[in-house]
Amino acid sequence: MAMSLGFVVGILGVVILSHAAYSTVQYRGLLKIMEEQFSGPPLTVVAELLLGLAFCMWAALTVPGTFLSIHPYSEENRIVSLPDNLDFMIFNHRARVFPVELDLKFKH
């Protein structure tokens, strides 16, 4: 099974995000040893986060495939009508226990 380019880029994005998380935890541990205050991750970690986010978003948009039309009368739709089998259409459901008109009286 050959992996597509989008799938490989997605895996690379997840690896980059994981490395950024590990680098942040390691940086915080170093700051605790040096008894300094954590003000935010280093610039390299922020750059890794942005790069990993871009890779993951690009992979999420390309791996699933092409977008299909949602217009009901489009020629590209595979399903154009309801099935002839009406056994799965249920009209007797829990909404019947709710009254049609609700008489709510508020206390002043």
Side-chain angles (χ1 to χ4, degrees), residues 5-108:
L5 177 66
F7 190 74
V8 172
V9 169
I11 290 175
L12 181 65
V14 170
V15 168
I16 289 173
L17 288 176
S18 301
H19 183 266
Y22 178 75
S23 297
T24 303
V25 170
Q26 190 176 17
Y27 179 70
R28 288 189 69 161
L30 180 67
L31 288 179
K32 282 184 182 179
I33 291 172
M34 295 172 48
E35 296 179 354
E36 293 182 16
Q37 189 69 19
F38 179 76
S39 61
L43 188 59
T44 56
V45 172
V46 173
E48 276 186 76
L49 286 171
L50 293 176
L51 184 67
L53 176 68
F55 282 174
C56 287
M57 287 179 61
W58 185 77
L61 291 174
T62 58
V63 168
T66 59
F67 290 110
L68 299 176
S69 174
I70 60 170
H71 298 292
Y73 301 110
S74 174
E75 296 294 327
E76 298 173 0
N77 287 343
R78 291 178 282 175
I79 301 172
V80 293
S81 64
L82 290 173
D84 293 332
N85 187 356
L86 300 177
D87 289 341
F88 294 106
M89 297 179 101
I90 299 172
F91 297 104
N92 189 12
H93 48 79
R94 287 184 228 149
R96 67 174 181 234
V97 290
F98 296 114
V100 176
E101 292 182 21
L102 296 174
D103 293 331
L104 299 175
K105 295 180 182 178
F106 297 107
K107 295 181 181 179
H108 293 285

